[in-house]
Amino acid sequence: MFNQDLINSILIEPISRGANKLLIVSGYASHTMASWHLKKIKDLGLPLINIELIVGMALYDGLKKDIHQGFKDIQSNNNHNLYSHFQCQYVIEQSPVHSKVYIWLNNDLPVEAYTGSANYSQAGFSLGRREYMVPCNPNQAFQYYNNLVNDSMFCNHNDIEDYITLVASHHVLENEMENSSIIFDNNFEKVTLSLLDTRTNNTHLKSGLNWGQRNNREPNQAYIPIPSKVAKSGFFPLESKHFSVLTDDHKNLVLRVQQQGNKALTTPMNNSLIGEYFRNRLGLNNGQFVTRQHLEHYGRTDVTFYKLDDEQFYMDFSPH
């Protein structure tokens, strides 16, 4: 569960006091936290802000491939006005940076700042960690951030992978050409979710993979249905937490559980992404209605998730 008091005081409430930019220095950070934060600001109806993140330990410890790709994806998708603007840099010179500092600005003037132990990650802001954050001098914190900018490089810079080491998203996925066999050889908790309507044994008409097949909806919008038994089992994170998914065809997705009764797996930043993904796998056009025949011709009417840890999953949609 999230530590809501910590989240509100450090990441949310300063917006209502007029702050419009958040500068973050965090030894470690995750793309799932960034996507969750952007989504939360939007869902609360708060004014959009700018978030600029410096990750301090990437040069020293390396960075997981899915996190690196996730940061790049979020930064590259900032060309719309639905979400706050996000940019990410990694410290690539001088000493590694293990500190955690959050500086809020109003029209480029520092107005609030906090420091302590909480990394910019969902784990860092959860009740499962005993983290401590205290106010600090905004001007000194702002100067500290600016001193690190010159030692940093944007996550989407053409040369960034020459400076940092990218590591496997999980220790069992070190050989990405054999992901499936590696997963199947390990006893990971798994669930298989049907892509069909269990009442009709066909695809859903206006939900599931065809969620967007209705008036005034983007036709690619989709979700993977979750049976109530699975939703209550604790297999997937709840509370709208975002989690990282590596697919059997080596794509990275960010998903979350949503809707009443926790009945749907979606791509939270854009509900169309998961629909585009499955239509691409099925060889269909964007926005095309998905039928049972399409799934059977492909060779599969369900999808299997393997739980690697609380925030990392592997999704297998390979044909049987």
Side-chain angles (χ1 to χ4, degrees), residues 34-45:
S35 63
W36 179 89
H37 194 190
L38 297 177
K39 180 70 172 170
K40 186 67 174 179
I41 292 170
K42 178 180 183 295
D43 289 348
L44 290 173

Side-chain angles (χ1 to χ4, degrees), residues 178-226:
E178 299 178 1
N179 277 346
S180 296
S181 62
I182 293 172
I183 286 292
F184 298 147
D185 288 342
N186 287 271
N187 295 320
F188 287 97
E189 186 180 1
K190 67 178 181 178
V191 298
T192 297
L193 305 178
S194 176
L195 299 173
L196 300 177
D197 187 336
T198 55
R199 296 166 299 181
T200 65
N201 212 27
N202 286 304
T203 53
H204 303 77
L205 294 178
K206 294 182 179 180
S207 57
L209 296 183
N210 294 312
W211 192 18
Q213 301 292 315
R214 60 187 72 190
N215 293 334
N216 301 318
R217 296 290 291 269
E218 206 289 310
N220 280 309
Q221 289 183 345
Y223 65 82
I224 301 173
I226 307 176

Side-chain angles (χ1 to χ4, degrees), residues 29-223:
S30 69
H31 65 301
T32 52
M33 181 60 176
S35 63
W36 179 89
H37 194 190
L38 297 177
K39 180 70 172 170
K40 186 67 174 179
I41 292 170
K42 178 180 183 295
D43 289 348
L44 290 173
L46 294 169
L48 302 185
I49 65 171
N50 290 321
I51 300 175
E52 299 179 9
L53 168 67
I54 294 179
V55 182
M57 298 296 289
L59 177 65
Y60 183 76
D61 283 341
L63 197 66
K64 290 182 178 179
K65 294 178 182 178
D66 65 322
I67 293 178
H68 174 54
Q69 186 61 49
F71 282 142
K72 291 199 300 180
D73 289 344
I74 296 173
Q75 185 158 318
S76 66
N77 290 330
N78 278 335
N79 296 324
H80 50 71
N81 296 319
L82 293 177
Y83 295 99
S84 297
H85 183 269
F86 175 85
Q87 71 178 41
C88 173
Q89 302 177 72
Y90 309 142
V91 173
I92 61 164
E93 295 180 354
Q94 307 299 330
S95 302
V97 177
H98 196 260
S99 52
K100 297 89 180 175
V101 186
Y102 298 79
I103 311 115
W104 284 95
L105 282 66
N106 184 350
N107 297 325
D108 292 324
L109 296 176
V111 291
E112 297 182 37
Y114 304 88
T115 188
S117 62
N119 281 306
Y120 189 63
S121 66
Q122 291 182 126
F125 282 84
S126 74
L127 289 176
R129 300 280 183 90
R130 299 186 184 187
E131 308 290 359
Y132 188 65
M133 301 293 293
V134 295
C136 61
N137 185 293
N139 292 304
Q140 292 178 354
F142 186 43
Q143 182 178 357
Y144 177 70
Y145 177 92
N146 287 330
N147 288 339
L148 294 176
V149 169
N150 292 334
D151 296 333
S152 305
M153 180 179 286
F154 286 115
C155 67
N156 59 353
H157 192 284
N158 289 336
D159 298 327
I160 188 61
E161 294 178 15
D162 294 333
Y163 289 87
I164 63 168
T165 300
L166 296 180
V167 299
S169 300
H170 195 276
H171 68 278
V172 301
L173 301 178
E174 292 177 358
N175 186 345
E176 290 197 356
M177 297 305 294
E178 299 178 1
N179 277 346
S180 296
S181 62
I182 293 172
I183 286 292
F184 298 147
D185 288 342
N186 287 271
N187 295 320
F188 287 97
E189 186 180 1
K190 67 178 181 178
V191 298
T192 297
L193 305 178
S194 176
L195 299 173
L196 300 177
D197 187 336
T198 55
R199 296 166 299 181
T200 65
N201 212 27
N202 286 304
T203 53
H204 303 77
L205 294 178
K206 294 182 179 180
S207 57
L209 296 183
N210 294 312
W211 192 18
Q213 301 292 315
R214 60 187 72 190
N215 293 334
N216 301 318
R217 296 290 291 269
E218 206 289 310
N220 280 309
Q221 289 183 345
Y223 65 82

